[in-house]
Amino acid sequence: MSLTALAINCSLKASGDKEKSSTDKIIADLLSALEPYGVKGEVIRALDHDIKPGVLSDMGKGDEWPKLRAKIVAADIFILGLPIWLGQPSSVAKRVMERMDAFLEETDDKGRMPAAGKVALVAIVGNEDGAHHCHAECFQALNDVGFTIPANGGVYWVGEAMGDVNYVDIPETPEAVSSMLEMAASNAAHLASLLKGKPYIGVDE
């Protein structure tokens, strides 16, 4: 069974920035770990698009969220990639999650939100503590809007606090991170296959 993954990079850097994105690298590593399971992935840099603030699926003229939303709900696996800033998920990641708040009111006749049956992973990088806190915030939000979180669905790398070495700078992925990526990929692909073959049944309303 073929599967697809859509990753949104919530870096504070646009793709044209001269400085490389560590978030981009951890997303790429996660997508590579998903490849052996037949998962085809696509990455979108959030800052390359005009995502208006708000909690609706379409905030009107100039809003590019609707086309991104369509890609999210079409994929079997959604990957939210983000850096830690001030101990929190990046502001860009928060905007992406806020826009998915609309899912709460967009249920079908069985009460299922658009993300029902979709698996979510969260990939985090940073030069400070806070990965577990950021995972908790993101997973709660993604669960609230209908995504299913697999076991070990959070991957991260954090460098020395206030250091200047980023994930994108290290010559080799640490074994602990590699193992984390492989387990997340395995569990996500397994769960996504199960849900694609037998979707949630919902409830009669």
Side-chain angles (χ1 to χ4, degrees):
M1 180 183 294
S2 62
L3 297 170
T4 59
L6 188 283
I8 294 188
N9 179 347
C10 296
S11 170
L12 300 187
K13 306 179 185 75
S15 60
D17 197 295
K18 292 181 179 180
E19 188 176 352
K20 293 182 179 179
S21 166
S22 287
T23 307
D24 223 19
K25 183 178 188 302
I26 199 167
I27 288 173
D29 290 346
L30 183 52
L31 289 176
S32 292
L34 283 163
E35 283 181 3
Y37 303 99
V39 180
K40 294 183 179 180
E42 178 184 357
V43 184
I44 292 172
R45 186 76 66 98
L47 283 188
D48 291 346
H49 301 272
D50 188 358
I51 302 174
K52 303 292 186 185
V55 292
L56 302 178
S57 283
D58 189 340
M59 294 302 297
K61 184 178 180 180
D63 186 19
E64 294 186 49
W65 176 254
K67 65 182 181 182
L68 303 183
R69 177 194 179 281
K71 287 179 174 288
I72 291 171
V73 299
D76 302 300
I77 299 170
F78 174 61
I79 299 170
L80 184 67
L82 59 128
I84 301 169
W85 286 108
L86 298 175
Q88 302 288 323
S90 72
S91 57
V92 179
K94 290 185 177 183
R95 177 163 296 190
V96 167
M97 290 187 286
E98 285 168 352
R99 292 304 302 269
M100 289 191 285
D101 182 81
F103 289 179
L104 295 168
E105 303 297 327
E106 296 173 349
T107 56
D108 64 13
D109 59 357
K110 294 291 185 180
R112 295 170 297 196
M113 287 179 270
K118 311 294 182 180
V119 171
L121 297 172
V122 177
I124 293 173
V125 291
N127 275 329
E128 56 183 288
D129 195 9
H132 287 178
H133 167 74
C134 291
H135 273 129
E137 285 199 18
C138 295
F139 282 141
Q140 183 62 61
L142 293 168
N143 177 77
D144 282 349
V145 298
F147 287 98
T148 301
I149 313 300
N152 307 113
V155 298
Y156 69 95
W157 178 89
V158 288
E160 182 181 357
M162 301 179 72
D164 57 4
V165 176
N166 299 312
Y167 185 67
V168 74
D169 300 321
I170 58 177
E172 186 176 351
T173 304
E175 175 59 31
V177 178
S178 294
S179 297
M180 194 187 309
L181 291 163
E182 290 169 7
M183 184 60 73
S186 174
N187 290 350
H190 175 71
L191 183 55
S193 293
L194 292 176
L195 290 172
K196 191 169 185 176
K198 193 173 183 179
Y200 290 123
I201 60 173
V203 295
D204 292 323
E205 294 192 329

